Amino acid sequence: MKYISTRKQEETNIKTAILKGLADDGGLFMPEYIPQLDAEFFENLPNLSLQEIGFRVAKEFLGESISDENLKEIIDEVLNFEIPAVKISDNIYALELFHGPTMAFKDVGARFMARMMAYFSEGKPMKVIAATSGDTGSAVASGFFNVFGIEVYILYPKGKVSPLQEKQLTTWGGNIKALEIDGTFDDCQTLAKQILSDEELNQKFTLTSANSINIARLIPQSFYYFWAFAQLQNLGKPIVFSVPSGNFGNLTAGLFAKKMGLPIQQFIASTNANDVVPKFLESGHYEAKLSKQTISNAMDVGNPSNFERMKSLFNNDVSEFRKEIEAYSFSDDETKKAMIKVKKDFGYTLDPHGAVAYLGLETFRKSFDSAPDDKNALLDKDFIGVLLETAHPAKFVEVVENVLKEKIEIPEKLEAFRKKEKRSVEFAVDFELVKEFLME
Ligand SMILES: *Cc1c(COP(=O)(O)O)cnc(C)c1O
């Protein structure tokens, strides 16, 4: 399988695509075609484990670049936690993606990327650079923790991440170094770019970035769409996924799964006030915006990086987009009301991101009432709605307790971070000082 940049100027293999992250032409790597899984796989799906599904799907994308034995080992390590489809009501399920070490769905992608990078770097010492505004950094740190031969440098803005987030970035030790930058997230990103393009550093080390555009983060995110079917298809109804979206990696991975043959009836792209994609589907024009701050802050993205991948999947044709995806945007007020309603009616605690996904499902269901007959003929109204619950509510404890007016339990896994001691190295926004530190 070849990997081709979305801007078409670069073609390479999976190893280089993963080690580089971004193509030289500025595009994102895509497989040259989406592989198909055979009928036998789908018939047997309910009998497969999450790890077996992960192996089969990953194998299609990785081909001969890795032995079956090594790939199995990696998949078993990556997927060592549950991803249950939990019933909220008769026709709504939450696919809980938050049972990994940092309790957000980014664990899945980051753990896989870390192990694939270690495998393909063949023991050569490597430095991974990650600028973070909070959540991604901890998933990356956790994914790479104790991975042999790799040192990770996390750059985060001093005083601009939540106390719990900071603990999740700074308490690892070992091969994870936290650089506390006296500046903004943008300063951290600029410093990361300067590091990655510095000649002297590049001569001395293999440098790479661990940002969300890496194809190795996308591939494993398609596994759990199959796994949701394995758990729910015996209900005998069509399945609709609502994906709380920011950079649209999660949704793009779902599109991969459907193209591989998974009979998903419909995708719903649910966003907060950052509504570039819903607006695009409405008008046909894509217009990036500055991001707006919301209570579902992991989705505060004004120019989603994976839009470029979706465009290439749909051959740049907006009517193709519209066939697969309904997109809705919701305000913080609506999000809070949804959290309260779901708690009251069903006893389920949603985090703010999952609540946005819930609103997407409800809006889609209501849209049948006023839809023209041709839509009702095309789609089955009696469907199972699956919302992707991307983070544990305790990760957003301040917001959730404030909205629900009750205390929520902090899981042991998060509590453990709080008890550990912060270790970071402070820097002014000064590339030369940061460079000196890396050169040591
Ligand atoms: C990153 C993130 C999202 C958005 O996922 P994308 O793949 O960027 O669309 C949603 N929810 C949570 C909790 C996240 O951390």
Side-chain angles (χ1 to χ4, degrees), residues 19-35:
L19 292 180
K20 279 177 80 166
L22 196 68
D24 288 335
D25 61 9
L28 280 63
F29 287 112
M30 283 286 274
E32 67 173 324
Y33 61 89
I34 304 292

Side-chain angles (χ1 to χ4, degrees), residues 104-106 135 221 244-251 298-299 351 353 390-391 396:
F105 90 100
K106 291 196 174 69
D135 267 351
Q221 288 176 11
S245 295
N247 267 319
F248 283 78
N250 216 356
L251 184 63
M299 314 196 297
D351 96 292
H353 305 79
T390 46
F396 302 93

Side-chain angles (χ1 to χ4, degrees), residues 248 271-282 287 289 292 299 301-302 327-330:
F248 283 78
T271 75
N272 57 30
N274 294 279
D275 59 357
V276 198
V277 170
K279 280 273 180 306
F280 161 74
L281 287 173
E282 209 181 291
E287 212 177 316
K289 293 182 193 167
K292 292 190 193 105
M299 314 196 297
V301 180
Y328 309 111
S329 145
F330 303 98

